[in-house]
Amino acid sequence: DAGVTQSPTHLIKTRGQHVTLRCSPISGHKSVSWYQQVLGQGPQFIFQYYEKEERGRGNFPDRFSARQFPNYSSELNVNALLLGDSALYLCASSLDAGMIQETQYFGPGTRLLVL
Amino acid sequence: GEDVEQSLFLSVREGDSSVINCTYTDSSSTYLYWYKQEPGAGLQLLTYIFSNMDMKQDQRLTVLLNKKDKHLSLRIADTQTGDSAIYFCAEEGVTGGGNKLTFGTGTQLKVEL
């Protein structure tokens, strides 16, 4: 079975632009989470979605938004890009949400560079 | 609040054991995870431990948990060059109908011949 897939793999944008990142979860998984990993740091939680509903939001500005589709795939949108948004954006999928031990499996990430 | 800390760097010789340490602060965490990240790649799940356990062994990996001190360690036996990577510990928080992982800063493991 395919793991978590993300597209694109790399992206270069300029300040002020908008970006959309995409994620497809493991087949059968209903929850998708997004994390931002700045170089040299651990991943930081951005959002979790389950059955198209937001189940959690990290400490990120409103420029960050996401949604989940009926097929459980997800998009992360970032508006008005800043240089500090340059990072590896990781998507993770899990079977469900809100239960303990919901193991999250990560995709390869999208590397975003903002110039 | 949650805070997870790790030492930044560890260097070992091939064939030796590696021990990567982690401390966390959220006493309500139920599961703790170890992930591995190779250069330019995503996170690979290695193992996890439930907070009411004190040890879990999985082939070359041994996880030790001291819940009183909120200290977690990952021991890799017979370390190989392919184990060179960044290792992250993460605690799981369950709130508001969702789950989130809080990660440490990562420990870079370098295996030398």
Side-chain angles (χ1 to χ4, degrees):
Chain A
D1 283 341
V4 178
T5 58
Q6 294 186 241
S7 63
T9 55
H10 295 81
L11 204 50
I12 299 176
K13 293 284 189 177
T14 55
R15 280 179 297 175
Q17 285 189 312
H18 162 271
V19 68
T20 298
L21 310 180
R22 295 177 176 82
C23 170
S24 292
I26 292 169
S27 177
H29 284 195
K30 298 179 181 177
S31 178
V32 169
S33 298
W34 288 95
Y35 292 80
Q36 180 197 63
Q37 186 180 20
V38 173
L39 194 63
Q41 297 183 19
Q44 298 287 317
F45 173 74
I46 310 175
F47 286 111
Q48 183 185 38
Y49 275 78
Y50 174 72
E51 293 278 14
K52 298 184 290 180
E53 290 185 356
E54 182 183 299
R55 288 296 186 95
R57 170 187 270 265
N59 189 23
F60 281 81
D62 292 344
R63 298 185 296 107
F64 288 76
S65 64
R67 56 180 176 166
Q68 187 178 32
F69 300 99
N71 66 354
Y72 304 111
S73 66
S74 177
E75 284 183 353
L76 175 70
N77 296 284
V78 187
N79 292 323
L81 284 166
L82 302 174
L83 297 180
D85 296 331
S86 295
L88 180 68
Y89 288 84
L90 295 162
C91 173
S93 78
S94 57
L95 274 169
D96 292 295
M99 313 286 285
I100 62 170
Q101 211 264 298
E102 283 297 340
T103 303
Q104 296 188 26
Y105 298 90
F106 285 80
T110 294
R111 192 164 295 279
L112 172 65
L113 177 61
V114 182
L115 300 176
Chain B
E2 312 100 349
D3 191 19
V4 180
E5 294 187 356
Q6 299 178 239
S7 52
L8 291 180
F9 190 77
L10 176 65
S11 179
V12 300
R13 290 196 178 276
E14 189 178 40
D16 287 350
S17 292
S18 307
V19 179
I20 302 170
N21 295 302
C22 170
T23 58
Y24 62 99
T25 57
D26 189 354
S27 57
S28 65
S29 292
T30 51
Y31 276 86
L32 297 136
Y33 297 82
W34 285 102
Y35 286 87
K36 174 184 179 183
Q37 187 175 39
E38 298 187 62
L43 300 178
Q44 175 193 350
L45 175 68
L46 291 177
T47 188
Y48 57 86
I49 189 167
F50 185 45
S51 59
N52 71 351
M53 298 171 65
D54 51 21
M55 187 181 88
K56 179 180 179 182
Q57 189 155 359
D58 184 359
Q59 299 182 329
R60 291 192 300 123
L61 305 178
T62 302
V63 179
L64 296 177
L65 175 61
N66 181 329
K67 192 172 182 180
K68 174 177 170 291
D69 294 337
K70 298 189 181 68
H71 183 265
L72 182 72
S73 67
L74 175 69
R75 178 177 180 269
I76 305 172
D78 186 25
T79 312
Q80 303 297 307
T81 54
D83 295 324
S84 292
I86 300 176
Y87 290 80
F88 292 95
C89 66
E91 57 179 347
E92 179 185 58
V94 181
T95 57
N99 306 69
K100 75 169 191 178
L101 295 174
T102 300
F103 286 85
T105 51
T107 299
Q108 183 166 0
L109 174 63
K110 182 179 178 182
V111 182
E112 299 174 327
L113 296 173

